Amino acid sequence: MRPTASRLLNILVPVKRTIDYAVKIRVNPDQKGVDLNVKHSMNPFDEIAVEEAVRLREKLKDAVKSIKVVTVGPPKAAETLRTALAMGADSGIHVEIPDSAPAPEPLGVAKALRAVIEKESGGVDLVILGKQAIDDDQGQTGQMLAGLLDWPQATFASKVVVDAGKKEANVTREIDGGLQEVKAKLPLIITTDLRCVSLRSLSVQWLILNSLHHSLNEPRYASLPNIMKAKKKPIQKLTPADLGIDLTPRIETIKVSEPAKRVGGGKVESVDELIAKLKEAGITAVKA
Amino acid sequence: MLSRHLARRIASRSTPRVVRLSHSLPDFQLNSVNEQDVEHFSKILPKTSILSTLAPISTESSELEPYNTDWMNKYHGKSNTVMRPRTTQEVSEIVKWCHERRIGVVPQGGNTGLVGGGVPVRDEVVLNLGSMNKIRSFDPVSGILVADAGCILESLSEYLAPQNHIMPLDLGAKGSCHIGGNVATNAGGLRLLRYGSLHGSVLGLEVVLPDGTILDQLSVLRKDNTGYDLKQLFIGSEGTLGIITGVSILTAPAPNSSNNVILALPSFDNVKPLFKEAKRQLSEIMSAFEFIDRTAYDLAVKHGQGRALNEGDVEGAECFVLVETSGGNREHDEAKLNGLLESLLEADQPLINTGVLSQSPAQFSQLWAIREGITEAVSKEGKAYKYDISIPLGSFKEVVDTTREHLRSKGVLHDGAVKHVIGYGHVGDGNLHLNIVAEAYTQEIEDALEPFVYELVAKYKGSVSAEHGIGLMKTHALHYSKNATSIDLMRRIKSLFDPHGIMNPGKVLP
Ligand SMILES: Cc1cc2nc3c(=O)[nH]c(=O)nc-3n(C[C@H](O)[C@H](O)[C@H](O)COP(=O)(O)OP(=O)(O)OC[C@H]3O[C@@H](n4cnc5c(N)ncnc54)[C@H](O)[C@@H]3O)c2cc1C
């Protein structure tokens, strides 16, 4: 089909604007959502995806023809695209939804991405996206997109090696108790992990804070010249209607609640008092 | 093999290298704490609030170690008794007893001070304020916070955050230092440029005077011109005039929008024009302008403080500047900052090579961590001689270079002696932190440095202590920055408040 261009890769990186992970989440009084009037930034998993795409280009040089970033989100999500462009992506697509619209669900987003991919005249060879967004923790978009497109998927990647000539990729995934290496032909969907299997039970925020050195990569800072260049890179604006998709949620949020507050400890003056307190709390010594 | 190894270890332990910290320890006639004193203290405080190697408490002396050793592990006291009072009343009763018995008292906060002021010189008792850590009141309308002196600076910031206020000061030691310690040292820090010194933001203090009297000046008034402003005397008194037990302080509304950027400069000469340009373009939203020389940056990165800039961005940089903006309107602030950055990049003769602009709160903290982490990185790299000086901005580099060359000429600039001479600090306030990082504290290095550095500072009409204070480290250098008349007046004030000289003896005054 594309005899000469077939060796050149087009990479698409979907990104999401989420509440920044350093922000303390506050539940709204109506318990239907959280306070969104706080600092937002790029979903950290997506940041890793963008970084990986840029590193692939640094490795494969001209074999990577384009890195395009796409977001489905409100007007302000354009800032997230600019950040990705400053990190090294070439151009962006903004599927814009109104501020008042409900947050789209993974299936809606996956369908929007499929439509975007189908519209790309040069085709898309590789989609790299975060394995989950830290706001809703759904972790489904990549897999759904692979299903809709009937493409292979390599999820939770901790290492990616692409052979542009052979049009295939080797992806290392962290799984319980070890590593799994999978190989797949392009076009392919890759979702990026933070590589921290043993710490899985801890909160995402904690994970991100502590696993910077363990992730697939460490996303770069946006340097000033690149930020300036990014301002001039093209962002194409689309609406869900342009793509012929409907983003209306199918799931109703019934209640959002905060985790139980930790109660502070108290101080005791003596061992006797400690024992008394323990008894009070219903803790008794084990009979030998 | 093992036995030889052991023998060597024991030998090296039994002959510790004694470093005479130049100027001999000050003389003062005070009494040591005895068992009767401890007995009496146990009537004032619960036993759990007293650590003493004496009966009836009999704590292991190793448990007193942290209170006897300063943050840099440079100054070592020999106190046998540490008390952690919980109320002003308890402080007052302890001090009253010490006054009558003529026992020296060292007020101690988070023990992060950098001039040896917070640890005993000999065997004075340590009065650690860490258990006095309650917030007394906060008025979200006026922003006035009243808190116990032992509240940790960072916990106060955390308390204020949901109420949309911030502390008017911030420094690298925030996780340990106390607000009382901050006031006692008149700490400057990273926000001084924007919010001014504690002499302005502290509205009132509660102080236990050296005879045990409680001076209640915990005013919550912004304006009060009724005679002498006594609280000012305690701000920066480093525990020599009394024990601060409560602080009333004006906090600032939290900025809705903060940004920061680290700029890489090809030459130090560009710092001054850059500062001028940043001030002109950012005006009221510029909240910090911090200088980091290349060696300081490399040390911070080496010791994992913050996240390093991309390699390409640091290439050819002689020094770095961190600029922070904070303001009320994101669009407005970003437009200003972007305007500045664009004009810097597009200038015919650019002042900067490049830079990085934080894209998220996480990156914002990572950039700050590089600057804030220098103190810690330096302490990981070796033993630091810290000179915290005020000099004209234009002479920062000259002073660092002159000091380095001087050390070279004295033959102490080599592996095994002085490893690095670095400069960083608060450009906005004309405050340079000159650090000499050595393998170990030695007399040879100290002799090479002093009085050389102090004379150098005097040459620029600077101050030998911009913000860390005098403590024990610089009493002999006070005269470089204060004339005889001033020192004499300070002495008279000291003896008026503390006729027996029990309060933090040996500190501040030579
Ligand atoms: C990593 C790091 C970064 C720092 N950055 C800065 C900076 O940017 N700017 C700056 O100015 N300083 C800085 N410092 C030094 C600064 O002086 C201290 O961190 C802080 O202000 C001291 O508070 P503290 O509670 O630890 O006091 P301590 O170290 O416990 O005591 C310091 C002095 O105050 C006295 N004191 C303490 N509490 C009381 C009290 N309640 N009443 C009376 N006297 C008292 C002590 O006797 C002593 O003389 C830094 C220190 C570190 C370790």
Side-chain angles (χ1 to χ4, degrees):
Chain A
M1 295 178 287
R2 289 176 281 140
T4 46
S6 74
R7 287 171 180 278
L8 301 183
L9 302 181
N10 290 311
I11 304 178
L12 183 74
V13 185
V15 296
K16 183 177 185 185
R17 177 176 181 267
T18 60
I19 292 183
D20 186 86
Y21 76 74
V23 169
K24 194 173 164 358
I25 302 292
R26 273 186 289 213
V27 173
N28 286 337
D30 69 2
Q31 294 204 313
K32 293 283 180 206
V34 302
D35 182 4
L36 295 176
N37 213 353
V38 293
K39 266 265 187 188
H40 283 60
S41 54
M42 193 191 305
N43 175 35
F45 290 95
D46 303 347
E47 225 182 335
I48 292 171
V50 176
E51 177 68 31
E52 195 57 23
V54 176
R55 287 193 189 186
L56 279 178
R57 165 177 281 158
E58 284 167 356
K59 254 180 269 166
L60 304 174
K61 308 268 168 2
D62 291 343
V64 173
K65 186 175 169 209
S66 75
I67 300 174
K68 218 172 229 199
V69 285
V70 53
T71 191
V72 181
K76 276 199 177 136
E79 291 169 13
T80 306
L81 288 178
R82 290 286 169 209
T83 300
L85 295 175
M87 288 173 72
D90 306 318
S91 61
I93 299 173
H94 187 178
V95 181
E96 194 176 294
I97 58 175
D99 270 323
S100 55
E105 292 167 356
L107 185 59
V109 174
K111 284 183 176 165
L113 294 177
R114 175 180 60 179
V116 165
I117 290 167
E118 282 167 352
K119 275 171 82 95
E120 280 300 297
S121 52
V124 171
D125 305 279
L126 193 56
V127 179
I128 310 178
L129 69 171
K131 72 165 185 176
Q132 77 195 80
I134 60 164
D135 50 2
D136 55 17
D137 272 354
Q138 298 273 15
Q140 305 172 38
T141 308
Q143 294 89 324
M144 287 179 169
L145 179 60
L148 291 173
L149 289 168
D150 198 18
W151 286 9
Q153 55 179 310
T155 53
F156 309 161
S158 63
K159 188 171 173 220
V160 177
V161 181
V162 174
D163 186 327
K166 287 200 199 140
K167 283 231 158 190
E168 62 182 34
N170 266 26
V171 176
T172 307
R173 318 175 59 231
E174 291 227 1
I175 56 171
D176 259 352
L179 301 173
Q180 184 187 46
E181 208 180 309
V182 298
K183 185 154 93 177
K185 282 273 169 211
L186 305 187
L188 169 70
I189 309 283
I190 294 175
T191 73
T192 56
D193 202 351
L194 285 169
R195 203 186 124 187
C196 240
V197 175
S198 57
L199 303 173
R200 200 153 47 192
S201 56
L202 295 162
S203 72
V204 171
Q205 179 168 337
W206 194 93
L207 272 181
I208 294 163
L209 282 170
N210 291 279
S211 64
L212 273 173
H213 297 284
H214 302 286
S215 61
L216 174 58
N217 57 50
E218 203 177 324
R220 68 195 63 199
Y221 289 117
S223 77
L224 294 181
N226 288 341
I227 291 173
M228 299 305 159
K229 274 187 229 149
K231 287 185 182 164
K232 300 191 179 97
K233 291 181 180 175
I235 291 183
Q236 183 190 4
K237 264 197 194 181
L238 297 172
T239 62
D242 294 336
L243 295 171
I245 51 151
D246 177 12
L247 291 173
T248 316
R250 301 167 171 216
I251 301 167
E252 183 193 350
T253 301
I254 297 168
K255 190 178 168 189
V256 178
S257 56
E258 277 178 36
K261 281 222 163 49
R262 193 178 159 272
V263 232
K267 272 198 182 156
V268 291
E269 297 288 348
S270 65
V271 176
D272 292 342
E273 198 185 327
L274 174 67
I275 293 170
K277 289 260 182 214
L278 287 174
K279 278 197 180 136
E280 227 173 86
I283 300 165
T284 49
V286 182
K287 295 260 161 17
Chain B
M1 178 65 200
L2 181 71
S3 59
R4 214 180 53 199
H5 184 70
L6 265 179
R8 197 171 40 215
R9 268 186 43 196
I10 291 163
S12 68
R13 207 180 303 162
S14 55
T15 52
R17 186 140 46 119
V18 179
V19 176
R20 186 178 57 93
L21 285 162
S22 68
H23 24 286
S24 53
L25 293 181
D27 252 341
F28 38 79
Q29 258 95 51
L30 293 167
N31 293 316
S32 299
V33 180
N34 61 31
E35 293 183 359
Q36 284 78 49
D37 296 319
V38 177
E39 189 71 57
H40 182 81
F41 294 142
S42 333
K43 288 189 199 120
I44 304 172
L45 293 174
K47 288 210 170 64
T48 46
S49 302
I50 307 175
L51 297 153
S52 177
T53 54
L54 303 175
I57 305 283
S58 308
T59 316
E60 285 286 332
S61 66
S62 62
E63 282 187 49
L64 276 78
E65 195 59 22
Y67 301 91
N68 270 319
T69 310
D70 78 318
W71 192 86
M72 298 184 293
N73 198 8
K74 183 174 178 187
Y75 298 95
H76 304 271
K78 293 187 206 61
S79 181
N80 58 18
T81 304
V82 175
M83 284 177 272
R84 297 175 54 90
R86 293 162 308 173
T87 64
T88 307
Q89 197 55 40
E90 286 176 358
V91 175
S92 156
E93 285 175 41
I94 297 167
V95 173
K96 195 158 166 239
W97 180 263
C98 293
H99 176 74
E100 281 163 14
R101 280 268 300 122
R102 306 204 176 195
I103 295 170
V105 178
V106 179
Q108 187 176 76
N111 199 7
T112 66
L114 299 172
V115 288
V119 291
V121 176
R122 297 214 167 86
D123 62 355
E124 305 88 282
V125 301
V126 174
L127 226 151
N128 184 295
L129 278 292
S131 296
M132 283 191 66
N133 54 9
K134 293 201 180 52
I135 287 161
R136 300 194 192 173
S137 67
F138 175 66
D139 176 358
V141 178
S142 63
I144 296 171
L145 172 77
V146 182
D148 282 354
C151 289
I152 289 175
L153 180 59
E154 192 166 42
S155 1
L156 292 177
S157 300
E158 279 165 11
Y159 168 84
L160 291 173
Q163 324 222 35
N164 296 318
H165 278 75
I166 60 167
M167 291 298 285
L169 80 162
D170 186 20
L171 45 135
K174 59 175 154 258
S176 307
C177 65
H178 295 179
I179 186 66
N182 297 147
V183 173
T185 56
N186 186 24
L190 308 164
R191 290 185 184 150
L192 192 126
L193 182 68
R194 178 65 168 275
Y195 300 108
S197 98
L198 288 173
H199 281 296
S201 47
V202 170
L203 302 178
L205 293 175
E206 177 188 81
V207 182
V208 172
L209 300 175
D211 66 355
T213 312
I214 300 171
L215 172 70
D216 180 357
Q217 288 220 335
L218 219 42
S219 158
V220 288
L221 305 174
R222 282 204 70 172
K223 299 176 93 174
D224 175 19
N225 283 354
T226 50
Y228 305 143
D229 190 356
L230 295 176
K231 70 166 185 284
Q232 299 296 355
L233 274 175
F234 298 96
I235 303 174
S237 65
E238 301 182 59
T240 58
L241 297 181
I243 300 185
I244 299 165
T245 50
V247 176
S248 161
I249 188 167
L250 182 66
T251 67
N256 293 330
S257 140
S258 320
N259 289 294
N260 64 4
V261 50
I262 287 191
L263 303 171
L265 281 62
S267 146
F268 174 80
D269 296 338
N270 295 2
V271 174
K272 205 169 164 177
L274 179 65
F275 182 50
K276 223 174 112 198
E277 194 53 27
K279 252 197 327 196
R280 192 179 68 78
Q281 292 203 34
L282 299 173
S283 62
E284 85 290 353
I285 65 164
M286 183 159 90
S287 49
F289 191 99
E290 296 283 316
F291 163 71
I292 308 171
D293 78 11
R294 182 59 191 257
T295 325
Y297 171 86
D298 289 340
L299 279 183
V301 168
K302 174 174 169 192
H303 293 284
Q305 308 293 328
R307 229 189 72 210
L309 272 53
N310 312 327
E311 256 164 54
D313 294 335
V314 297
E315 231 175 73
E318 181 172 281
C319 61
F320 300 87
V321 159
L322 187 155
V323 184
E324 183 196 65
T325 64
S326 35
N329 182 314
R330 209 168 70 105
E331 279 77 25
H332 164 265
D333 295 1
E334 284 179 5
K336 264 189 175 170
L337 182 58
N338 285 332
L340 169 71
L341 297 175
E342 257 167 60
S343 71
L344 286 175
L345 282 176
E346 283 157 17
D348 290 336
Q349 285 171 329
L351 294 171
I352 61 169
N353 285 345
T354 177
V356 296
L357 173 67
S358 64
Q359 302 289 306
S360 64
Q363 287 191 359
F364 178 85
S365 320
Q366 282 162 350
L367 290 185
W368 262 122
I370 297 176
R371 164 63 188 89
E372 291 186 277
I374 298 174
T375 318
E376 210 171 308
V378 161
S379 75
K380 286 183 178 161
E381 179 74 9
K383 298 288 179 195
Y385 291 89
K386 290 179 171 288
Y387 298 94
D388 146 49
I389 56 188
S390 271
I391 43 168
L393 160 57
S395 49
F396 274 25
K397 180 165 187 290
E398 217 168 282
V399 165
V400 175
D401 290 348
T402 311
T403 306
R404 189 182 294 116
E405 283 321 305
H406 173 76
L407 291 173
R408 199 191 306 278
S409 74
K410 291 279 170 189
V412 291
L413 188 70
H414 56 82
D415 276 357
V418 172
K419 302 203 271 185
H420 312 281
V421 179
I422 67 169
Y424 60 96
H426 318 295
V427 171
D429 321 326
N431 180 185
L432 173 71
H433 291 303
L434 169 68
N435 280 216
I436 288 83
V437 191
E439 192 62 41
Y441 293 123
T442 69
Q443 195 58 46
E444 197 191 1
I445 299 175
E446 180 157 339
D447 289 343
L449 282 168
E450 294 180 19
F452 176 81
V453 172
Y454 297 128
E455 282 168 0
L456 192 61
V457 172
K459 210 179 91 190
Y460 293 102
K461 295 204 182 345
S463 165
V464 298
S465 178
E467 56 176 22
H468 293 164
I470 295 295
L472 180 61
M473 177 185 171
K474 297 180 189 165
T475 50
H476 65 295
L478 186 62
H479 70 92
Y480 288 103
S481 300
K482 286 274 186 299
N483 62 27
T485 314
S486 313
I487 295 180
D488 180 52
L489 259 177
M490 283 166 70
R491 257 190 228 291
R492 281 152 67 186
I493 291 168
K494 167 76 177 171
S495 56
L496 176 69
F497 277 86
D498 185 16
H500 296 176
I502 62 161
M503 210 35 94
N504 216 1
K507 315 291 167 57
V508 181
L509 285 164

